[in-house]
Structure formats: structure tokens, C-alpha cells
């Protein structure tokens, strides 16, 4: 019954979208506001129908209604309640509905908050939103319907269950967070295009789209970091980023969105780069759709790709129509995009933002080129050529380092132009700090490696420069307040936008601290029987025992490895496990082995252990140990980044009159 | 055109051209790229190739694990009627089993792939047909 309601809600929303186009068409001809209002109601109704459908699917997952194909494919009676909820986005059909669900929530906010303040954007916004909703509802209704029943001649006794790799708390929050970022770009696209079409790229518009972009950026950053955290803690290859096409697909919109956040500041302050900002805001969404196309078409081999139904051609058609639409209006309205001002100097704040845009765009191009290279090379001469991690690192690392320094340079530059005198006096201290940190690094952390050294200098430079900014505004606020803490608080809150931005930059420099560690990773694979030990990377690894245990939904072999350091102290005991899910299944093909890692984690280094195989006859375990320095800094940096961003856009009382 | 924009566009173009150039250096000498071959293509090749990437399914019952060192394995990958022998030393992914979809990368010599990289794709169990269902 509930599933019929869900299915009906999906059909109705599809019908409503269709009728919406008629209403909008009539409005265009008759200019009668009633039609515009009706289409607004229609869109709101669509949103609520989609939300209803999602709740229905959730209900079916929770009550294990295996009459639905989707429910039987991704859950079983044994699936814990929590993961029955997360199964909502585990498969193709569910994740598409979930996508539309989030889009509905965003659209409701957009309609009720943003469009209320800027009604001029309504008409074009509704057209674009209806088109995008139409596409996703088409998919959910006809191609990947989550309410599809299993064929009538079979009864499902128990469902397949959720992939053990996905039965993990991080995996439960990573996809929704990333989705909130991905789908939020829809609003940026709608706002950019409707602002362009209705010729209302005014100050109110730029402030509002900036606010939206920060919200989206926060989710996108959080989602990416969580994805890395999940990969590191669950997948067992000891890293958090592999330049996989799907990871790249999330990085590209992030890079362009970051560029937009910076360059739109020039528009806000000086009325320049209007056309450029429109392109960036629109491209963010286009890149998200491109990424979805890559993920769901199977065109590039990736560990993440969905294989069930091929949605590639549909997404390609959708993407092309969006690009054509953007291109058409961009050309048509180009004369309204003239700058109010000119950039005068290389050493100005505007210049700094432009360099930032250059770097981010280059990185995006490199990632895009590398991701699409197999397709492009095959189209070119029939040879499918892949580029590996070496390509991405070799090109992106040096460019990324320039970006690191640039984060420190930016605050030292003034708007319009920086005089030579200010330039020298501003650069003096950060340069000195950078130099000293380089010297200290070389003395204490040899042998010489170029990138870690430069990264270390860059971190010192940028942190000093940002701290100097904080010190300056602290001085100002100190004269007004009595105690030091209240002065610091009032300093931070005096310009949340700017200070939040600096906090984000500190977060990113912390990420770079983590990246340095990658240069010093070591690993070893070996086998041990209980009682045996091995010496590696200044530690003794001693295997005490391998026990076995039947648990709720799997069977586990549990190892117990003592890690003893140089001074013969027991540092920790690692207990990586080898698990067999579905071990009760008589068909060995259906059993699912899974390596559960154990990580000893400190700010200095992680000792990462994997129990990869167990030889029962010889009572021997096969292990892999990795020493990964500084990884925790990546997560800390990620948290600081997200907090900084939240700080900068979180509404305050003073800002209530502002716009979203 | 403003001087600052011109120089930015110039830098951008230069690095883009450089990137495109780097990826287009011949496969054999390029450390950044690896060519993907189908099993059919490779099974007719005589010469050895330093870097290949191949995708296919693991031939059922072809996995041979060394008794004394379980990290050492050989197996056949197939696609249609063509198959190729693969040798690999190292930890295998959890999903490595008969009929699993794998991508291997390594050197090709004398009809054998000496793989340095072995990846499996998601298990069919979660994406494919329902297997543990009973017909009425």
C-alpha cells in the first residue's frame, strides 16, 4: 500500500512538472501573474510529492518489503536498522530519488527565501527548475523506478543485504553530505542563469548567490573529506585519495566553486568580472552533471561506478542541453556583463584573486583532462589510454604549492594597488618565518626532498601572514574591550565573513601538513604464525594469537599484534580482522570476505594494519603494515575548513536583514 | 585587452598545452600513461609490452595460490572466448574470486601479464540479479 502511494506520488510529480511548462508558457504570452503563481504552487507541490515518495521508500526499507526489487536488492532481515535507512542511497534507483529529494528541499528554501526577496528571478528560475526536475523525475519514473516490484512469479524470502563496505557510520553520512554539496550547485546554476536572463545581476543578487555558494561549498568540502576518511578507514589501501574518476568528479566542482567564491568577491567589491562569475557558477553545476555522467555511464572504469542500468546517454543529453542553454543566454546577454571598473595592478587584492582563479582553473583542467583522457584518446585514435596517479600528482602538486603560498600572499595585498613600501613591509615577516622554517626543516628532518621542504615553507608563510591579519584586527578591537578573550571574540565577530575565510585558509594549510606525510609513507607485507615477530620501520610487530568468532552477521578471524617500539615499550596492540559476511550461505561464491583494519593513530603518524588472508592449515596470517605520517592533520584541517566556512555564513542577528 | 588578463591567459594556455603534450608522449616511454588493451588484442600480440592495463573476468577454477606463500597467485582473465594468464604477488582485494571483474596493470611478456596492480570491481552480489530467491 505504502509503496503504491510512493509510486503514485512520483507519477503525480512528473505530471505536475509537465503542466508547469504550460503554465509558464501561458505566463510568457499573457503576462498574467496568476499563471506564474500557479506554476510556483505546482513546483512546491512537486517538491512535496518527491519528499512523500522518499518517505514511502524509506518506510518500505524499514519494514523490509521484499516485494520491491530495490528493497530486496539492498537490504535483508539481518541488515541493522541504521543501515536500512542508509540503503536509501546505496543503489542507483534509490540514490536518484534521494537526489531529487534533496533538490526539493533546496528548491523550497530557494522559492521561499531567495525568490521572495528577488521576485524578478521567478519566471526564469521556474523554467530552469522545472526542466531539471523534469529530467530527474523522468529517470525515477521510467528508467530507474525504486518502486519497481519484483517479477510476479517469485517470492523473495530474504533480501541481498547491504555491502559490508557500506555498513559503516562514515559511509552513512558521506553520501548525503556530498549530495547536499552536489545538488546545492543546482541553485547556483538556477540563480546564475535566471539573473542573467532577467538582467538583474545587481548587488543583492551577488550577495545572495555568494551566501548560497558558501553553503554549498561547506557541504561539498565536508563530503569530500568524509569520503577520504571512509576510504582510509575502510578500504584498506592506506590512502585517502586515489585520483579515481569518481573522486575527481567531486573535486572538479569543488575547485570551480572555490574559484567562484573568490572571484565573486571582486564583483561584490568592485563590480568586475560579471561574465566570468556567471560562467563559474554555471560550470559548477555542469561539472556535477558531467561527474554524474562519468559515474553512471561506466564509460571510465572506476571502483565506484554503478553498473545496473546505463544512464550515460541520458545524462549526456541532459548535460548538452544545459551547456547549449547556458551558452545561448551568455552570448545573448553578453553586453549586460560589462565591468564597472578595471584591474590596474598586478600587486592588488583583485590581482591576487585572479591568480587564485588561474591556479584553481588549471587544477580543474588537469583533473578533467586526466579523467576524460581514456575517452578522448580512444575517440582520437582508438587507443584507450589511462593516466595514473603519477600524472595527477606530477602536475597538481607544484601548482597546489603555488596556491599554498598564494593563500599567504592574498591578505598582504590591498585593493586596487599595493604600494612598494607596503608590499615590502607586509612581506618581510612571513618571508623570514618561511625561510627559518625551511632551515629548521632541513636540519632536523633530512634527507632533502624538495616538495616537503617547499610545503613546509609555504605553510609557515601562509600561517604567519594570516596570523598577522588577526593581530592587526585584534589591535583594533582591543582598544574597545577590556579583557583579552573578549577582545579576541569581538575581533573574530567583527568581520565574520573575512575571518571565516581566514579560518578556512588555516584549515587548508593544515591539510598541506597532512599531504607532506605522503612523501614519507612506508609499507610491508609479510606472514606470521602466532608467537612469531617481525622488525619493520623501527618497530617490532609480534603476533600473539589468531582467534575466531561467529558474530551477528559475519564470522571473524581476529588477530592480536603487539607493537613494540625501540625502547622496548609496548606501544599498542593492533587487532585487524578478517571477516566473512554471509558465511552461512552454502554457496561459497556468495560469501563475502572483508578485511577490517586496525589503525593506531596519533598526530605524528598512523600505524595501519590489514589482515589480508588466513591459512587455516598452517595457522598463519598474512598482514600488511603501513606507516603513514601526519594523516590526522588532514582530518583536522578538514574540520577547521568546514567550521571556518560555517562561521563565515552562519546567520547572525545583525545580519537578519541580509539576504540568502 | 588588459595586460594582467593577457598574461594570465598566456600562463593558462602554456600549462594546458604542456599538460596535453605530456599525456601524448608515446606510451612505451611515458611514465604518466598506460594503454588499455582488450584481452583479444593482447592474445594475438607476440612482442612484449612494458605497460599494459587489461580488464576482464576471472576464469572459474583458474586461481592457483602458492602453498608456501599465499601472496603469490596466478589466474586467467577472460572476455568472451579469449583469455590470458596473469601472475601477481601481493595482497589481493577481498572481492577477488571466480568470475569477479578485475582490472590488472603490469608488463606483458610471452602471453603472460606480470601484474603490479590488481583491482576488483564491486561484487555482482549487490548490483546484479537476485540469487537467493525461490521460484514458486
Amino acid at each position: 500500500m505504502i509503496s503504491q502511494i510512493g509510486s503514485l506520488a512520483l507519477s503525480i510529480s512528473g505530471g505536475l512538472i509537465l503542466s508547469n511548462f504550460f503554465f509558464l508558457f501561458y505566463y510568457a504570452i499573457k503576462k498574467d501573474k496568476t499563471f506564474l503563481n500557479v506554476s510556483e504552487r505546482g513546483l512546491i507541490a512537486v517538491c512535496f510529492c518527491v519528499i512523500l515518495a522518499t518517505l514511502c521508500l524509506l518506510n518500505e526499507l524499514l519494514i523490509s518489503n521484499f516485494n520491491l526489487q530495490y528493497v530486496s536488492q539492498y537490504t535483508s532481515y539481518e541488515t541493522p536498522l541504521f543501515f536500512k535507512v542508509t540503503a536509501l542511497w546505496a543503489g542507483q534507483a534509490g540514490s536518484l530519488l534521494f537526489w531529487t529529494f534533496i533538490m526539493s528541499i533546496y528548491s523550497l528554501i530557494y522559492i521561499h527565501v531567495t525568490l521572495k526577496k528577488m521576485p524578478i528571478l521567478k519566471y526564469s528560475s521556474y523554467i530552469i527548475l522545472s526542466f531539471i526536475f523534469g529530467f530527474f523525475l523522468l529517470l525515477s519514473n521510467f528508467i530507474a523506478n525504486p518502486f519497481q516490484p519484483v517479477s510476479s512469479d517469485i517470492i523473495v524470502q530474504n533480501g541481498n543485504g547491504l555491502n559490508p563496505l557500506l555498513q559503516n557510520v562514515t559511509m552513512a553520512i558521506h553520501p548525503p553530505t556530498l549530495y547536499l554539496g552536489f545538488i546545492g550547485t543546482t541553485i547556483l546554476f538556477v540563480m546564475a542563469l535566471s539573473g542573467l536572463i532577467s538582467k538583474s545581476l545587481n548587488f543583492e543578487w551577488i550577495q545572495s548567490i555568494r551566501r548560497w555558494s558558501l553553503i554549498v561549498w561547506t557541504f561539498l568540502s565536508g563530503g569530500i573529506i568524509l569520503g577520504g576518511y571512509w576510504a582510509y578507514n575502510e578500504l584498506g589501501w592506506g590512502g585517502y585519495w586515489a585520483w579515481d574518476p569518481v573522486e575527481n568528479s567531486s573535486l572538479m566542482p569543488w575547485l570551480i566553486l572555490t574559484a567562484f567564491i573568490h572571484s565573486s568577491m571582486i564583483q561584490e567589491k568592485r563590480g568586475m568580472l560579471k561574465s566570468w562569475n556567471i560562467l563559474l557558477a554555471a560550470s559548477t553545476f555542469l561539472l556535477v552533471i558531467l561527474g554524474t555522467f562519468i559515474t553512471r555511464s561506466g564509460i571510465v572504469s572506476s571502483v565506484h561506478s554503478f553498473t545496473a542500468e546505463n544512464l550515460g546517454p541520458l545524462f549526456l543529453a541532459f548535460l548538452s542541453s544545459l551547456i547549449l542553454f547556458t551558452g545561448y543566454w551568455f552570448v545573448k546577454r553578453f553586453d549586460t556583463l560589462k565591468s564597472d571598473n578595471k584591474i590596474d595592478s598586478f600587486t592588488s587584492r583583485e590581482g591576487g584573486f585572479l591568480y587564485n582563479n588561474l591556479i584553481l582553473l588549471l587544477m580543474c583542467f588537469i583533473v578533467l583532462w586526466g579523467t576524460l583522457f581514456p575517452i578522448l584518446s580512444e575517440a582520437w585514435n582508438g587507443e584507450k589510454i589511462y593516466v595514473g596517479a603519477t600524472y595527477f600528482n606530477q602536475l597538481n602538486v607544484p601548482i597546489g604549492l603555488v596556491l599554498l603560498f598564494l593563500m599567504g600572499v592574498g591578505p598582504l595585498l590591498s585593493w586596487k594597488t599595493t604600494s612598494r613600501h607596503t608590499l615590502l613591509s607586509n612581506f618581510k615577516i612571513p618571508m623570514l618565518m618561511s625561510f627559518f622554517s625551511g632551515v629548521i626543516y632541513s636540519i632536523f628532518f633530512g634527507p632533502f626532498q624538495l616538495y616537503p621542504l617547499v610545503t613546509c615553507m609555504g605553510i609557515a608563510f601562509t600561517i604567519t601572514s594570516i596570523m598577522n591579519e588577526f593581530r592587526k584586527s585584534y589591535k583594533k578591537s582591543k582598544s574597545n574591550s577590556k579583557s583579552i578573550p573578549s577582545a579576541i571574540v569581538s575581533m573574530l565577530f567583527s568581520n565574520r565573513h573575512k575571518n571565516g575565510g581566514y579560518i578556512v585558509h588555516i584549515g587548508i594549510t593544515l591539510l598541506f601538513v597532512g599531504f607532506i606525510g605522503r612523501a614519507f609513507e612506508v609499507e610491508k607485507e609479510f606472514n606470521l604464525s602466532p608467537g612469531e615477530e617481525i622488525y619493520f620501520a623501527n618497530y617490532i610487530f609480534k603476533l600473539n594469537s589468531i582467534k575466531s568468532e561467529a558474530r551477528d552477521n559475519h564470522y571473524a578471524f581476529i588477530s592480536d599484534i603487539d607493537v613494540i617500539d625501540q625502547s622496548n615499550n609496548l606501544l599498542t596492540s593492533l587487532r585487524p580482522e578478517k571477516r566473512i559476511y554471509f558465511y552461512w550461505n552454502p554457496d561459497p561464491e556468495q560469501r563475502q570476505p572483508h578485511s577490517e583494519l586496525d589503525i593506531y593513530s596519533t598526530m605524528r603518524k598512523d600505524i595501519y594494519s590489514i589482515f589480508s588472508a588466513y591459512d587455516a592449515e598452517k595457522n598463519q596470517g598474512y598482514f600488511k603494515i603501513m606507516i603513514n605520517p601526519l594523516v590526522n592533520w588532514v582530518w583536522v584541517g578538514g574540520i577547521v575548513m568546514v567550521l571556518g566556512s560555517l562561521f563565515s555564513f552562519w546567520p547572525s542577528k545583525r545580519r537578519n536583514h541580509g539576504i540568502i | 585587452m588588459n595586460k594582467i588578463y593577457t598574461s594570465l591567459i598566456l600562463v593558462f594556455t602554456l600549462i594546458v598545452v604542456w599538460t596535453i603534450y605530456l599525456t601524448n608522449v608515446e606510451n612505451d616511454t611515458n611514465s604518466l600513461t598506460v594503454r588499455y588493451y582488450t584481452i583479444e588484442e593482447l592474445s594475438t600480440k607476440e612482442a612484449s609490452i612494458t605497460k599494459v592495463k587489461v580488464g576482464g573476468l576471472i576464469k572459474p577454477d583458474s586461481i592457483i595460490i602458492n602453498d608456501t606463500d599465499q601472496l603469490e597467485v596466478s589466474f586467467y582473465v577472460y572476455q568472451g572466448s579469449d583469455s590470458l594468464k596473469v601472475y601477481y604477488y601481493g595482497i589481493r582485494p577481498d572481492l577477488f574470486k571466480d568470475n569477479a571483474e578485475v582490472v590488472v596493470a603490469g608488463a606483458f611478456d610471452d602471453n603472460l601479464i606480470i601484474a603490479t596492480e590488481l583491482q576488483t570491481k564491486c561484487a555482482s552480489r549487490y548490483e546484479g540479479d537476485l540469487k537467493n530467491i525461490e521460484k514458486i
Side-chain angles (χ1 to χ4, degrees), chain A residues 72-74 153-164 273 302-303 305 308 343 345-346 354-355 358 361-362 365 369 373 383-388 390-391 394-395 525 578 582 589-595 612 615 618 622 624, chain B residues 2-5 7-8 11-12 15-16 18-20 22-24 27 31-36 53 67-71 89-92 94-95 97-99 103 119-123 125-136:
Chain A
S72 61
Q73 243 174 329
Y74 295 101
D153 58 338
I154 51 178
I155 293 174
V156 180
Q157 303 281 326
N158 192 359
N160 270 348
L162 189 69
N163 190 329
L273 297 179
S302 151
V303 283
S305 37
I343 292 188
S345 156
F346 279 93
L354 286 182
Y355 308 143
L358 172 77
L361 231 65
L362 273 174
F365 170 79
W369 181 256
F373 198 64
E383 294 184 359
K384 203 171 192 170
I385 293 171
Y386 281 87
V387 296
T390 340
Y391 159 85
Q394 205 168 79
L395 287 159
E525 291 172 10
K578 185 84 204 172
F582 312 108
E589 279 287 295
Q590 293 294 310
R591 293 176 202 156
Q592 170 68 69
H594 169 74
S595 306
S612 64
D615 186 339
K618 293 186 200 155
Y622 288 78
K624 182 170 186 170
Chain B
N2 195 311
K3 212 163 56 178
I4 195 163
Y5 290 133
S7 35
L8 288 176
V11 173
F12 185 82
I15 298 184
V16 165
W18 175 241
T19 308
I20 295 172
L22 279 181
T23 46
N24 279 290
N27 184 36
S31 63
L32 302 183
T33 59
V34 51
R35 180 168 164 199
Y36 185 90
K53 191 171 181 142
D67 269 348
T68 49
D69 189 348
Q70 289 213 354
L71 292 179
Y89 186 87
I91 285 178
R92 296 179 294 280
D94 282 332
L95 301 176
K97 59 185 167 194
D98 285 357
N99 276 320
V103 176
Q119 282 182 313
T120 48
K121 266 211 169 167
C122 264
R125 179 181 174 92
Y126 307 101
E127 289 281 349
D129 309 326
L130 293 166
K131 281 179 183 153
N132 55 343
I133 47 180
E134 284 175 18
K135 301 235 173 203
I136 300 173

Side-chain angles (χ1 to χ4, degrees), chain A residues 329-387:
Chain A
W329 282 105
F330 187 73
V331 171
K332 193 163 169 167
R333 290 276 185 270
F334 194 72
D335 51 335
T336 65
L337 296 170
K338 282 211 187 79
S339 285
D340 306 344
N341 277 302
K342 256 172 60 181
I343 292 188
D344 317 299
S345 156
F346 279 93
T347 52
S348 60
R349 186 66 70 87
E350 300 92 302
F353 283 139
L354 286 182
Y355 308 143
N356 148 297
N357 268 227
L358 172 77
I359 300 281
L360 290 167
L361 231 65
L362 273 174
M363 291 178 104
C364 184
F365 170 79
I366 290 166
V367 176
L368 182 68
W369 181 256
T371 310
L372 295 182
F373 198 64
I375 308 170
L376 298 174
S377 66
E378 195 177 18
W380 178 251
N381 62 1
E383 294 184 359
K384 203 171 192 170
I385 293 171
Y386 281 87
V387 296

Side-chain angles (χ1 to χ4, degrees), chain A residues 395-415:
Chain A
L395 287 159
N396 273 331
V397 171
I399 297 179
L401 286 176
V402 178
L403 190 67
L404 173 64
F405 275 95
L406 209 52
M407 278 194 303
V409 172
L412 307 178
L413 301 171
S414 337
W415 289 96

Side-chain angles (χ1 to χ4, degrees), chain A residues 14 21 25 89 164 168-169 184 238 249 274 300 318 360 365 376 392 452 458 460 539 559 577 654:
Chain A
F21 283 111
F25 182 66
W89 51 81
N168 170 289
V169 180
S249 306
K274 288 177 189 166
V300 183
F318 182 54
L360 290 167
F365 170 79
L376 298 174
F392 292 103
Y539 297 105
S559 64
E577 298 177 4
R654 203 166 51 86

Side-chain angles (χ1 to χ4, degrees), chain A residues 550-597:
Chain A
R551 294 187 186 146
D552 260 0
N553 62 348
H554 64 266
Y555 191 85
F557 295 99
I558 310 143
S559 64
D560 178 14
I561 305 169
D562 280 349
V563 182
I564 299 153
D565 68 10
Q566 273 174 311
S567 40
N568 231 348
N569 295 320
L570 178 67
L571 190 64
T572 181
S573 286
L574 294 170
R575 291 190 176 79
E577 298 177 4
K578 185 84 204 172
R579 293 179 177 176
I580 317 289
Y581 282 82
F582 312 108
Y583 66 96
W584 53 81
N585 201 314
D587 178 8
E589 279 287 295
Q590 293 294 310
R591 293 176 202 156
Q592 170 68 69
H594 169 74
S595 306
E596 185 73 13
L597 318 164

